[in-house]
Amino acid sequence: MIVPVMSLSILSFIFALVVTPRVAALAERFDLLDKPSARKVHNIAIPRIGGIAIFLAFSLSLFTALFFENFKTQLLDNNEIIYLFAGGILSLLLGLYDDIKQLGPKVKFAVQTGIAIFAFLGGIKIRLIGLPLLGPVYFGWLELPVTILWMLLVINAINLIDGLDGLAAGVSFFICIVLLAVAISHELLLVAIALACLSGSLLGFLVFNFNPASIFMGDSGSYFIGYMLASLSIAGSIKSHTAVTFLIPIIAMGVPLLDTVWATTRRFIFGQELFQPDKDHFHHRLMRKGFSHKRTVAILYAITICLGGLALLTVNVRDRYSAIFLGILGILVVIFVRKLGYLDFLGLKSFLMWINDLTNVIGINRDRRVFLAYQLGISEAENMDAFWERIVASAQHLGLDYIEMQLGGKDAKFKKFNDYVWHSLNDDDVKEELYSKHRLYIRFPLNCKDHHYGILKISKKYSNSVRNQSQILWRLEFLRRTLSNTLHEFKKYPKYGLHDRRVPIEDRRLHEVKDQFLNGLDERRKDADRRHHQATTTSL
């Protein structure tokens, strides 16, 4: 099996050597070139449709496999190859269109999702993942979303590392070799044939793509390669129920997968567009560390080879040793990411502050939940006295020493109240203290849905020793919203007084009927008195 498979790989390599220069000439003729920009590392326009050359070399060698008697049966009697090849064509066309027209991320992800569903319907699906010490974990009804996620992750991972000459093609070649070794060892002939054809085409293309590159694979190449690697890694794993069955391709693809996951995490942390290209990937960081273009690519090649060796090693070791290997690998990943300078902003102090802010927003922080109870108390106040008492309690909880609420304005149609003031300052020094340079003084408008109900003024001594100091501005804004919304609720029932605003709707209707009856009774009495007065006047 090994010799015929390797002969296909060599044949694919030769095809790539022949077709790649011709595809480059075609790109120059039709101006399908990658122009220099601030995000690119090259300084001249270079053909960018090398994916067509990789696809042609792959297809020609796969077609040649039909002339091998042992391969012909596998290729013609297996419907899986049809979906594999058709999905590859769709990925190539999507990437080619993106190279020419520059599609938006939503359109690309939508089409990629459709291609992943197409592959799933053809039987290319992730049914389980083997975890050390836990054994196989079956996905059941999650098979479709997990398969789509894997497809999207791998396709875009190859696309993201395609930032240096020879990087994506070389890394993909080494991944192919690892998956090919696994397929041969498990006697997965169809998968081995496809991987042999793909690896040979990548190696032949790499001759022209290595620095200095004369052609780029473009999105057409990265999407095609990503789809093939994602699909073949699934096809090579679903027939094996060993404990680490699907961890092998995950480890082997460690460089592109980790770069993609980390890029997404990094952009999320800093509030950047998740799918906006940048120059902060692993290869960019290595070059900023002073490594040359070729040295950077060589380092990432070496890491990929090491990960591939570790992936192959996990095939023949016991589960507990696999767990040890994965633990060591995790530690090495953290060290690598930190060496690249990504974690400089995550020093212990900064990290704890970030976690504190995050837990405060989502309500995990206990103090945030305590303050939420104060907010609920304010919003459920039945009258103005309770409303103000709970505001003062909230102010004391926040460490405020002055709070003033002035109600009024054209939108405040309920009964006008006097200003409410509370403070813990010396009465004689209030005004002088409020405008001290060591104080926080804020004047909030109490607005809700374009209605103005008054003004809230607060003041406190500002120092790092005060509790909740890092969250004080957020707390104050939460307080302002609660007050504004509650005042807006008060406005809805001015007729019955503030204490009736929480009365159930049936009771409010009863009040309305009672008021209508009493009003009607008053009108009838007034009418009777008026008629009596007229009658008396007439008789006189």
Side-chain angles (χ1 to χ4, degrees), residues 215-230:
I215 186 172
F216 292 154
M217 68 170 61
D219 290 338
S220 59
S222 62
Y223 289 176
F224 171 71
I225 295 168
Y227 172 82
M228 296 304 296
L229 290 178

Side-chain angles (χ1 to χ4, degrees), residues 175 178-179 182 244-254 304-317 322 325-326 329:
I175 293 171
V178 173
L179 297 180
V182 175
V244 292
T245 177
F246 203 67
L247 287 181
I248 295 172
I250 293 177
I251 297 172
M253 299 182 197
T304 302
I305 293 172
C306 291
L307 290 175
L310 179 62
L312 292 175
L313 189 61
T314 57
V315 176
N316 300 312
V317 299
S322 298
F325 288 153
L326 292 177
L329 178 60

Side-chain angles (χ1 to χ4, degrees), residues 408-449:
K410 64 178 182 179
D411 294 319
K413 298 185 181 304
F414 46 82
K415 181 181 178 182
K416 187 172 182 178
F417 297 94
N418 295 326
D419 294 348
Y420 286 81
V421 179
W422 171 88
H423 64 83
S424 60
L425 305 174
N426 189 318
D427 291 337
D428 297 331
D429 300 328
V430 171
K431 291 186 178 180
E432 181 178 348
E433 279 282 330
L434 288 183
Y435 300 102
S436 168
K437 63 181 179 180
H438 299 295
R439 284 194 160 274
L440 172 70
Y441 180 83
I442 300 180
R443 181 179 179 273
F444 286 115
L446 297 176
N447 297 337
C448 181
K449 298 181 179 179

Side-chain angles (χ1 to χ4, degrees), residues 139-160:
F139 289 112
W141 61 272
L142 290 175
E143 288 179 357
L144 177 58
V146 170
T147 302
I148 292 174
L149 179 63
W150 173 250
M151 289 280 194
L152 293 178
L153 181 60
V154 177
I155 291 173
N156 290 283
I158 301 300
N159 180 255
L160 286 180

Side-chain angles (χ1 to χ4, degrees), residues 496 507-517:
Y496 306 112
D507 294 343
R508 290 203 301 273
R509 288 174 180 166
L510 183 61
H511 280 295
E512 292 172 1
V513 172
K514 179 180 178 181
D515 285 350
Q516 290 174 0
F517 173 78

Side-chain angles (χ1 to χ4, degrees), residues 493 499-508 511:
Y493 312 111
H499 64 283
D500 287 325
R501 74 187 188 93
R502 297 298 180 190
V503 174
I505 187 66
E506 294 79 5
D507 294 343
R508 290 203 301 273
H511 280 295

